[in-house]
Amino acid sequence: MKLIVGLGNPGAKYARNRHNIGFMALDRIADVHGFAAWKGKFQGSVSEGRFGSDRAALLKPETFMNNSGQSVQAAMKFYKIDAGDVIVFHDELDLAPGKVKCKTSGGHAGHNGLRSIHAHIGADYDRVRMGIGHPGHKDAVAGYVLRDFPKADEGWLDDVLRGISDGAADLVRGDTGRFMNAVALRVAPPRSGTGSKGPQKPAEAKPQAASAKPATPEPEAEAQSPLQKLMDRFR
């Protein structure tokens, strides 16, 4: 049994905030994998389901970010699990937008949701750090995370959420490598052809092809008879 927690703030006012990317991830997982309808429980919203034979509960704490640990602790007691069975999705200022990284234990880096979880269950849980970028100055952080994602970010945001949903079953099984690969395939899918350097190669080849054109008598020379070739030598 795994408890998958998404961090955010409750209510329509905060729904599209950068700080709520954890909620967004869980909503996408629940929708794509056919989890049960959300129910009010553990001071939050819960949806239960399976990834194959693996059971999981999705939890969106509704205590507001600063008290997320209360909800997580209550759910853990109900499901009789320890911190090692908890996976937390949260926004990460220190990662560029669209970047995703996995981490086990460690500090909370000043994130109020993680700080609260640390206080209630300790640090030995897994995290999925979802990059939202940094506003550039610490005094601007509060306003930045509590603002909606701009339209310009919708493309990469949707790719990240799709990738997380694609790899959720692998994450629950503990295969973070496959999970990260699923995210990468959405965020930076392999291109057909030669990739980012591809367009440069034809451009380099064109001058060579153009300079080669005057030398195209070669096919005709191959068609000449040995006698004609010998006569050409003495012209």
Side-chain angles (χ1 to χ4, degrees), residues 192-217:
S192 58
T194 55
S196 59
K197 294 184 179 179
Q200 298 174 5
K201 289 186 178 179
E204 294 172 1
K206 282 182 180 179
Q208 296 173 1
S211 63
K213 281 186 177 180
T216 49

Side-chain angles (χ1 to χ4, degrees), residues 147-213:
R147 282 200 295 269
D148 288 0
F149 282 104
K151 286 188 177 181
D153 287 353
E154 289 179 359
W156 70 254
L157 177 59
D158 188 60
D159 288 340
V160 166
L161 297 178
R162 286 173 182 270
I164 283 171
S165 176
D166 292 344
D170 298 311
L171 184 66
V172 166
R173 284 193 293 268
D175 193 338
T176 56
R178 287 178 67 92
F179 168 74
M180 291 298 297
N181 187 58
V183 175
L185 287 173
R186 289 289 189 178
V187 175
R191 299 177 183 273
S192 58
T194 55
S196 59
K197 294 184 179 179
Q200 298 174 5
K201 289 186 178 179
E204 294 172 1
K206 282 182 180 179
Q208 296 173 1
S211 63
K213 281 186 177 180

Side-chain angles (χ1 to χ4, degrees), residues 4-234:
I4 306 176
V5 181
L7 296 186
N9 289 307
K13 175 182 177 181
Y14 303 101
R16 298 297 298 174
N17 282 185
R18 292 182 176 94
H19 223 16
N20 273 44
I21 195 171
F23 275 17
M24 297 175 197
L26 264 60
D27 285 336
R28 185 64 63 93
I29 291 171
D31 182 55
V32 171
H33 293 277
F35 273 50
W38 293 96
K39 295 181 179 180
K41 218 172 185 181
F42 317 126
Q43 303 177 65
S45 291
V46 177
S47 176
E48 297 182 353
R50 290 180 177 272
F51 300 101
S53 60
D54 298 314
R55 290 178 59 220
L58 310 180
L59 172 66
K60 296 187 292 184
E62 295 179 347
T63 53
F64 284 93
M65 186 71 76
N66 293 7
N67 294 311
S68 299
Q70 297 175 10
S71 177
V72 175
Q73 185 181 55
M76 286 175 59
K77 287 181 178 178
F78 178 83
Y79 292 115
K80 297 180 173 62
I81 60 176
D82 58 29
D85 296 313
V86 176
I87 304 168
V88 177
F89 285 84
H90 67 90
D91 57 303
E92 177 60 71
L93 289 164
D94 293 332
L95 289 179
K99 293 289 184 181
V100 176
K101 288 191 177 182
C102 296
K103 180 180 179 180
T104 300
S105 70
H108 52 67
H111 190 291
N112 288 331
L114 299 183
R115 189 197 306 273
S116 177
I117 294 174
H118 272 53
H120 285 82
I121 73 168
D124 297 328
Y125 57 92
D126 294 330
R127 308 97 183 267
V128 178
R129 305 162 63 210
M130 306 173 69
I132 60 169
H134 198 286
H137 194 283
K138 64 179 182 179
D139 292 341
V141 166
Y144 178 77
V145 299
L146 293 177
R147 282 200 295 269
D148 288 0
F149 282 104
K151 286 188 177 181
D153 287 353
E154 289 179 359
W156 70 254
L157 177 59
D158 188 60
D159 288 340
V160 166
L161 297 178
R162 286 173 182 270
I164 283 171
S165 176
D166 292 344
D170 298 311
L171 184 66
V172 166
R173 284 193 293 268
D175 193 338
T176 56
R178 287 178 67 92
F179 168 74
M180 291 298 297
N181 187 58
V183 175
L185 287 173
R186 289 289 189 178
V187 175
R191 299 177 183 273
S192 58
T194 55
S196 59
K197 294 184 179 179
Q200 298 174 5
K201 289 186 178 179
E204 294 172 1
K206 282 182 180 179
Q208 296 173 1
S211 63
K213 281 186 177 180
T216 49
E218 289 184 18
E220 296 179 16
E222 291 177 3
Q224 293 177 333
S225 67
L227 179 59
Q228 287 173 322
K229 290 179 181 179
L230 181 62
M231 293 171 64
D232 287 343
R233 283 187 178 183
F234 294 99

